[in-house]
Amino acid sequence: LVAWVNSPQDDFHQNDTLRIPIVNSVLVTSFPYREGFETGPDGWIAGGINSSWMTGTPGKEIISHAAEGQKIWTTNLAGTYNADEVSYLYSPCFDLAGLLQPYLSFAFQYQLEAGYDYTWVEYRLGGSTAWIKLGAQGNGTNWYNNASNRWNGSQSRWVTTGIQIPVTNTVVQFRWVMQSDVGVELEGLGIDQINIYDRVQIYDGVALQLTQPVSGNNWIHFDQSGQRILSINPEGQDLGNVTLSLFKSNQGFLLTDSLYLMSRNWVVTSSLPVNGNIKLRGYFTATEANNLINANGCGQCIVARDGFDVTALRYSGPNQDGLFSNNISTQVLTYPLDSTDIQPYENGYYAEWSTPALSEWWITSQVTKKAGQLSRRISSSGDDAEEHQDNGSVNPVREIIAMTEKDGQQTIGWRFKNITIPLGSYIKDAVIKWTSLDTSSSSAQWILRGELSADASTFTTSKYNITLRPRSNQVVQWQPSGWTLTNQEYTSPDIRHLVQNIVDQTSWKTGNDLVLLMKGSGLRESWSYDGDPLKAAELIITYDNVCVENGILYVNKNAAGIQNGSSWTDAYRSFEQALDRAAHCPAITQIWVAGGTYSPYVDVGRNSGFTISNGISVYGGFLGNETNINQRIYGMYPTLLSGDIGTSNNANDNLYHVITISTGGNDLLDGITIQGGMANGGTIPLQTGSGIYNQGVLSCNQVTLITNSAPAFYNAPGSLLISSGIVQVKP
């Protein structure tokens, strides 16, 4: 409202105008009211002195994310509240007519200077200008932590809070107050998930079973003695008689299959089938949520950040009896976090989700951690063993592991149990650590492999029980330095690709066991499990959900570093390791290969050529110290990719295809020589493209194909070859 005065006797006009802002607050008449601010302020307004209130996505250290969704109201989205601030966050107005026990719940967290800065909630009635402090310390849930009936100090994670509204059948408005002095300013207050509703307590009694008819378009509640257990919205369907069985454990939480489960769960069945999606709400207390948040005992499990960071889990198989231990893992479905809506309610929460069927339901933190590190030490006799090459005898019980020569060469095996890495994880790095039993400075040449089994068995005394196991195509070749100290830990180079091959198998399941193998020449003696369990071999794996790495991968067969491809010093020694890494990391698009001859390891199959994934550029011809691709001199340090994997210089057992370009691929070969492919297989695809079998889009520059069987180059239907430089095919 703008009002002004004009007087002929007044020639000072700077004080002639009065401006008064008038806010017409939204009146809410429909309940329950839920607001998460995802679409904007939605009738919520900030004001006061030196106000720092903002709505949006937070980016602070403590108040770093929303309780649910992306947006909240907070005192400054990316910084601190202001000094000398007395500010307010005003709600819409609420007509409470018809609510018997009106209740206010919301999610909040805060960081306030202890003893100086405070926050609290006030309300006023319609038509009144008087604001009244809402509640007192000890009322409601998590309501005020200071004797002055205010919040002060720090609450570092989102929690549910709530209190009964002390008036009925009237209009009421709320405001959140932020008060600070001049001095230390911190992150302040965050508010999310506002709920106003007619209160029904959450059931916290013993296990029980209830049956009632469920149909229509409204929420049907399963209550016991006036306390709420579960709600169903059948979305217009008639489900007939629905039976709810509530189960409760006397434990604070359950740990099983590498995940944490809440101590209460529900089994729901209906007499009529569900023919489309319905909605469920499961209610649980703040105590039960806190027990799940504070769960422990599984180093690789995700612990929920707060009570809003949980989700629904459905079991649809037999034995729906409230026990997770007899569930079939393939019939367990964990809902994504963003598909389970968690709302603050009374003295806890409810989770809401959509489902096409009724089943056994649990509340859980996320399934097995897809980012982290695990370590596993050999944990039983028979899980580290030696096999002698001369007679195949296997010794799984001995005090010393002789790697790898002892009265002749030996193959060594280690079995590591309970590898709680989910299928589809990306292995960032992996190493084995051994504790030396003796010193040795002799030269050694070792080759490490993985057993290509989704759940490897323990070693037995059967002849060739180690070498007859199926092995992965990935190989790590290593010349270890001398072991100069006893009882000292020595570490392998990076063996991530061996582990990656194993956990990439479609039949792999988290918690399975894996075996790693070693053969070669030279001697180092390490402790075995039977010699000293605390000094047995240890496997350490770092893994992630996806690979977000980028940059260039380096390959040099003579590199002496840790073989992780990050530099010329630590370059991969085999080309297939770089290809495997690039296949798992979409942001890695270049592989630089130093001069030399590269072929797959000798005892892989003839189908195990170099497969290049989409979007990879392979550059050869480097000396091995270049920092710019233009420093190469074509032909000076030739890079040869060879198909000679069997008997040396016997072409009949060479690779069918040295290079295969994947379907849909868009790749580049630059400065590469390809030789020794022999496409003499029994099927038509194995009788062509001995050098390059192109199924995608391939660009070539300075590429030579030599001593490959004809035809050395094959473009499959739908593929494309682009030549931007010299491409030669020689006999």
Side-chain angles (χ1 to χ4, degrees):
L1 173 66
V2 181
W4 65 95
V5 175
N6 184 17
S7 172
Q9 290 80 30
D10 183 10
D11 59 1
F12 183 75
H13 300 294
Q14 294 183 15
N15 61 355
D16 290 356
T17 303
L18 178 66
R19 291 177 171 85
I20 300 176
I22 299 175
V23 177
N24 179 22
S25 293
V26 175
L27 179 64
V28 177
T29 59
S30 179
F31 298 93
Y33 169 84
R34 303 197 328 185
E35 179 58 67
F37 310 116
E38 294 304 303
T39 59
D42 285 346
W44 291 68
I45 300 166
I49 300 170
N50 292 332
S51 174
S52 60
W53 284 100
M54 298 180 182
T55 183
T57 302
K60 297 181 276 193
E61 182 176 354
I62 302 264
I63 307 175
S64 60
H65 63 281
E68 287 282 272
Q70 301 295 322
K71 297 179 180 178
I72 65 171
W73 270 100
T74 184
T75 48
N76 199 332
L77 287 169
T80 65
Y81 51 82
N82 295 324
D84 229 1
E85 178 172 347
V86 181
S87 63
Y88 309 99
L89 174 63
Y90 295 92
S91 76
C93 296
F94 301 95
D95 186 350
L96 303 179
L99 298 185
L100 300 178
Q101 295 187 67
Y103 205 85
L104 167 67
S105 289
F106 56 94
F108 81 136
Q109 62 178 160
Y110 54 88
Q111 186 193 44
L112 306 164
E113 184 187 10
Y116 296 94
D117 301 335
Y118 298 89
T119 185
W120 64 93
V121 182
E122 297 176 340
Y123 73 97
R124 67 174 177 178
L125 303 180
S128 171
T129 59
W131 288 94
I132 306 167
K133 185 174 289 185
L134 179 59
Q137 184 183 16
N139 297 157
T141 300
N142 293 325
W143 200 261
Y144 301 147
N145 66 343
N146 187 275
S148 62
N149 297 323
R150 297 177 291 182
W151 287 291
N152 178 240
S154 180
Q155 169 57 54
S156 61
R157 66 188 181 201
W158 289 104
V159 297
T160 182
T161 187
I163 195 167
Q164 186 163 333
I165 300 169
V167 295
T168 57
N169 296 313
T170 187
V171 174
V172 66
Q173 184 181 27
F174 304 97
R175 71 179 184 184
W176 278 251
V177 185
M178 175 66 216
Q179 180 187 72
S180 68
D181 65 358
V182 178
V184 177
E185 289 78 48
L186 302 175
E187 294 189 13
L189 179 65
I191 300 292
D192 199 6
Q193 301 302 92
I194 310 294
N195 276 261
I196 297 175
Y197 52 94
D198 209 355
R199 177 196 187 193
V200 177
Q201 290 183 336
I202 295 175
Y203 178 77
D204 198 25
V206 298
L208 53 74
Q209 187 176 89
L210 301 173
T211 300
Q212 65 176 333
V214 173
S215 63
N217 289 289
N218 297 318
W219 286 99
I220 309 297
H221 305 296
F222 285 76
D223 296 342
Q224 174 71 11
S225 302
Q227 296 181 322
R228 188 139 297 163
I229 305 169
L230 189 89
S231 302
I232 302 177
N233 189 331
E235 302 283 19
Q237 301 180 59
D238 183 1
L239 305 183
N241 287 325
V242 173
T243 298
L244 163 68
S245 299
L246 171 69
F247 298 92
K248 297 184 70 178
S249 169
N250 57 9
Q251 300 172 265
F253 64 92
L254 301 178
L255 169 58
T256 181
D257 280 8
S258 300
L259 54 87
Y260 295 118
L261 299 170
M262 191 170 284
S263 57
R264 78 163 65 195
N265 70 291
W266 310 266
V267 175
V268 191
T269 60
S270 61
S271 61
L272 296 178
V274 178
N275 295 316
N277 278 350
I278 62 174
K279 291 182 178 178
L280 297 181
R281 287 178 182 169
Y283 299 80
F284 52 93
T285 67
T287 298
E288 290 168 327
N290 288 336
N291 288 339
L292 192 61
I293 294 165
N294 296 317
N296 57 68
C298 174
Q300 307 312 314
C301 296
I302 291 181
V303 178
R305 294 175 297 185
D306 49 58
F308 299 90
D309 193 37
V310 297
T311 189
L313 181 149
R314 175 189 174 195
Y315 173 62
S316 56
N319 302 318
Q320 294 187 26
D321 53 8
L323 296 175
F324 196 86
S325 57
N326 60 8
N327 290 353
I328 300 172
S329 60
T330 57
Q331 293 178 273
V332 172
L333 173 66
T334 303
Y335 278 45
L337 284 178
D338 58 3
S339 69
T340 304
D341 185 26
I342 309 297
Q343 294 288 334
Y345 184 88
E346 213 258 331
N347 68 332
Y349 308 79
Y350 68 77
E352 180 179 320
W353 64 91
S354 180
T355 174
L358 296 174
S359 305
E360 180 176 288
W361 296 96
W362 300 77
I363 299 298
T364 178
S365 55
Q366 294 181 45
V367 181
T368 311
K369 198 170 186 178
K370 284 200 173 185
Q373 185 179 85
L374 65 81
S375 63
R376 296 289 186 269
R377 196 178 293 276
I378 298 297
S379 57
S380 62
S381 182
D383 281 346
D384 47 6
E386 303 171 349
E387 177 187 302
H388 203 282
Q389 69 168 7
D390 293 340
N391 55 22
S393 62
V394 177
N395 187 349
V397 181
R398 59 178 302 139
E399 294 183 355
I400 301 169
I401 296 294
M403 309 184 302
T404 53
E405 283 193 56
K406 189 70 171 178
D407 302 322
Q409 293 185 352
Q410 299 191 133
T411 300
I412 313 300
W414 295 272
R415 178 173 177 254
F416 298 96
K417 298 178 181 177
N418 191 30
I419 306 300
T420 50
I421 297 177
L423 176 67
S425 297
Y426 169 63
I427 307 302
K428 296 179 70 173
D429 60 70
V431 295
I432 303 178
K433 289 188 174 182
W434 302 279
T435 300
S436 60
L437 186 143
D438 201 353
T439 61
S440 177
S441 59
S442 63
S443 62
Q445 300 277 338
W446 290 345
I447 296 165
L448 291 106
R449 304 278 298 270
E451 178 185 337
L452 198 61
S453 169
D455 194 13
S457 59
T458 192
F459 301 108
T460 70
T461 55
S462 300
K463 284 186 177 294
Y464 300 106
N465 182 251
I466 297 179
T467 55
L468 287 178
R469 296 177 179 233
R471 286 154 292 172
S472 64
N473 291 333
Q474 288 291 332
V475 175
V476 172
Q477 302 181 57
W478 181 34
Q479 292 85 42
S481 59
W483 288 11
T484 58
L485 297 171
T486 59
N487 292 314
Q488 176 75 19
E489 281 194 336
Y490 290 92
T491 304
S492 76
D494 193 341
I495 57 169
R496 74 176 77 180
H497 300 283
L498 310 185
V499 178
Q500 188 77 67
N501 269 190
I502 296 170
V503 302
D504 277 351
Q505 298 173 95
T506 56
S507 54
W508 171 263
K509 294 180 182 178
T510 181
N512 282 1
D513 306 331
L514 64 79
V515 160
L516 297 172
L517 309 169
M518 177 193 286
K519 70 175 185 177
S521 61
L523 176 63
R524 303 289 186 273
E525 292 184 326
S526 68
W527 285 98
S528 70
Y529 173 84
D530 295 293
D532 188 337
L534 298 179
K535 297 177 182 177
E538 181 182 20
L539 173 65
I540 301 173
I541 305 172
T542 305
Y543 59 101
D544 208 337
N545 186 29
V546 294
C547 176
V548 295
E549 300 166 14
N550 54 29
I552 299 168
L553 295 181
Y554 299 85
V555 180
N556 186 342
K557 64 181 299 181
N558 297 313
I562 60 175
Q563 301 185 46
N564 64 8
S566 62
S567 65
W568 285 122
T569 299
D570 294 322
Y572 288 124
R573 296 182 60 190
S574 69
F575 184 44
E576 55 264 46
Q577 288 181 346
L579 293 176
D580 182 59
R581 174 93 165 274
H584 287 85
C585 302
I588 293 177
T589 59
Q590 291 189 34
I591 300 175
W592 292 11
V593 188
T597 300
Y598 300 84
S599 61
Y601 187 61
V602 293
D603 62 357
V604 300
R606 297 186 66 195
N607 281 305
S608 302
F610 301 115
T611 299
I612 301 179
S613 303
N614 184 28
I616 303 300
S617 297
V618 180
Y619 297 94
F622 293 92
L623 171 61
N625 60 7
E626 293 86 349
T627 58
N628 189 298
I629 201 165
N630 295 322
Q631 294 173 336
R632 292 180 304 163
I633 301 175
Y634 285 117
M636 181 69 71
Y637 305 104
T639 296
L640 288 80
L641 303 181
S642 172
D644 191 358
I645 61 169
T647 303
S648 181
N649 299 319
N650 180 1
N652 289 324
D653 58 4
N654 286 8
L655 293 174
Y656 293 123
H657 312 298
V658 179
I659 290 179
T660 299
I661 304 299
S662 298
T663 302
N666 190 349
D667 306 310
L668 168 68
L669 295 177
D670 186 310
I672 300 293
T673 296
I674 301 154
Q675 66 180 26
M678 176 55 68
N680 61 351
T683 62
I684 292 176
L686 299 181
Q687 295 171 357
T688 187
S690 59
I692 298 176
Y693 192 92
N694 179 26
Q695 301 175 96
V697 178
L698 175 63
S699 298
C700 291
N701 180 42
Q702 302 293 334
V703 173
T704 300
L705 292 91
I706 187 170
T707 63
N708 300 283
S709 67
F713 203 121
Y714 175 71
N715 286 315
S719 63
L720 178 64
L721 172 64
I722 302 171
S723 175
S724 57
I726 297 174
V727 178
Q728 301 181 77
V729 179
K730 298 180 179 181

